[in-house]
Amino acid sequence: MKLYYAKSACSLAVRVVLNELGIEFQDEEVDLKAKKTQFDKDYLSINPKGAVPALYLDNGDVLTENQVILQYLTDITPGQKLLPPVGDLRRYHTLEWVNYVATELHKTVGMFFYPNLNEETKNIFMSVVNSRLKYVNERLEHGPYLMGKDFSLPDAYLFVVLRWAYYFKFDLSPYKHLEQFMKNVAERPAVAVSLQQEKL
């Protein structure tokens, strides 16, 4: 399979999970402005939405959207520990967190990538972001990871979004558990490898 990605984008969460699961994959970087891959392919012919990640499967099919790709990767990996099996209520609580990170954090923190945001709009988004970071911080009081003691799918995604928060120099000092979470995740071998692969 092949991962279409952009450096430091949300596709990094997919890369982390691929490495956590020990799945062999190729990758191809995407210029999201030009909609071209590093080998000069028209990226819109691969993913008409023009966003990353896209996962090109060995059968020629293409999957998009982080939440779906992450779940697919665990579902095809017997014995994995990143997402509990169907029927286990913990699975659905884990997917709750995947979707919370995707819809409530990714979409709000991601707004700061838009260069034309005025200060008033930034302040509005910042108040929303802070309320959501407070909620996540409180959750992390109960364990090093979102689901407790074990690293799972939403942790990979949250790590990426929080890297953006550091990039934008958000004041995260009120959220002590987030800082420890970032240290815990960064120490994972699969995460270190993923960062090296993207030269981050």
Side-chain angles (χ1 to χ4, degrees):
M1 60 181 66
K2 178 184 287 187
L3 172 65
Y4 288 94
Y5 76 101
K7 284 185 181 180
S8 279
C10 62
S11 49
L12 178 58
V14 174
R15 181 184 296 276
V16 167
V17 168
L18 283 163
N19 284 319
E20 284 279 349
L21 295 172
I23 296 174
E24 291 186 10
F25 66 99
Q26 299 173 313
D27 62 18
E28 191 165 340
E29 191 172 359
V30 178
D31 181 333
L32 291 174
K33 289 183 179 177
K35 305 301 182 191
K36 294 283 188 180
T37 76
Q38 70 187 82
F39 300 122
D40 206 35
K41 294 179 192 168
D42 174 13
Y43 185 58
L44 294 176
S45 69
I46 298 162
N47 180 8
K49 290 178 274 191
V52 292
L55 190 67
Y56 183 87
L57 305 181
D58 294 341
N59 67 1
D61 203 347
V62 176
L63 285 178
T64 63
E65 304 300 330
N66 256 349
Q67 306 98 301
V68 173
I69 295 173
L70 296 177
Q71 185 174 334
Y72 169 78
L73 291 173
T74 54
D75 286 348
I76 64 167
T77 307
Q80 57 77 32
K81 297 182 179 178
L82 300 183
L83 180 65
V86 173
D88 187 329
L89 196 56
R90 292 175 305 146
R91 176 186 182 89
Y92 308 103
H93 287 307
T94 304
L95 292 174
E96 266 186 312
W97 273 107
V98 172
N99 283 277
Y100 185 83
V101 174
T103 60
E104 304 300 323
L105 282 174
H106 178 169
K107 292 304 180 187
T108 47
V109 176
M111 289 299 297
F112 288 82
F113 283 109
Y114 290 93
N116 297 328
L117 282 187
N118 60 42
E119 286 304 311
E120 182 181 1
T121 306
K122 284 182 181 179
N123 289 336
I124 293 169
F125 275 108
M126 199 65 240
S127 67
V128 174
V129 168
N130 279 325
S131 69
R132 292 170 183 175
L133 291 178
K134 180 176 182 289
Y135 174 65
V136 174
N137 187 66
E138 290 169 353
R139 171 70 177 196
L140 289 170
E141 288 181 17
H142 306 292
Y145 300 115
L146 287 170
M147 295 306 296
K149 64 183 179 62
D150 296 320
F151 182 84
S152 61
L153 290 185
D155 298 308
Y157 205 162
L158 178 61
F159 177 75
V160 174
V161 175
L162 290 179
R163 288 185 85 253
W164 301 345
Y166 283 108
Y167 172 78
F168 291 122
K169 297 181 170 54
F170 291 177
D171 179 13
L172 300 181
S173 58
Y175 313 118
K176 301 301 182 187
H177 300 294
L178 296 186
E179 184 177 355
Q180 186 58 51
F181 168 84
M182 293 299 282
K183 290 178 181 176
N184 292 338
V185 177
E187 289 172 357
R188 298 186 68 82
V191 174
V193 167
S194 297
L195 295 174
Q196 289 169 4
Q197 287 171 342
E198 294 198 7
K199 299 180 173 61
L200 301 174

